[in-house]
Amino acid sequence: MTQGTLLRQITDYANRADPYPLYAELRRTPVARQDDGVYAVSTYWEILSLLHDPRISSDIRNRAPGAAGGLPPDPEEDTDLPPSFIRLDP
């Protein structure tokens, strides 16, 4: 099973009858880059570390200086108000 097809196989309905081989593969490769550049992250500790990593924060106030990415600025958002909950981390 190639890394690029792992996420596709997980979401394929045909694999729902016996998902355990896919679960085993996810445990062997907790972070797998897919063919389209997306990463499939599958274990608790890796996901927990991503949730606490300021480089991937939704809240621009929590990001490291100079970090790129995130949601684009909302042109209609009033800068005097706190950010929308969509732009905040849980």
Side-chain angles (χ1 to χ4, degrees):
M1 176 176 335
T2 66
Q3 297 294 332
T5 62
L6 184 59
L7 186 58
R8 190 172 306 124
Q9 289 180 348
I10 292 167
T11 57
D12 185 6
Y13 189 76
N15 291 320
R16 291 193 180 191
D18 185 20
Y20 300 105
L22 294 173
Y23 295 163
E25 182 67 24
L26 286 170
R27 284 190 295 275
R28 279 192 297 277
T29 56
V31 179
R33 185 167 185 181
Q34 306 302 296
D35 289 339
D36 61 357
V38 172
Y39 287 89
V41 182
S42 60
T43 61
Y44 175 81
W45 295 111
E46 280 76 16
I47 293 170
L48 183 66
S49 66
L50 286 172
L51 289 172
H52 290 92
D53 191 337
R55 294 175 296 175
I56 59 169
S57 174
S58 297
D59 190 346
I60 197 162
R61 299 172 300 174
N62 293 339
R63 289 183 170 228
L71 295 171
D74 185 358
E76 297 180 14
E77 189 172 328
D78 187 358
T79 57
D80 294 334
L81 297 174
S84 166
F85 76 93
I86 294 174
R87 297 178 183 274
L88 298 176
D89 290 335

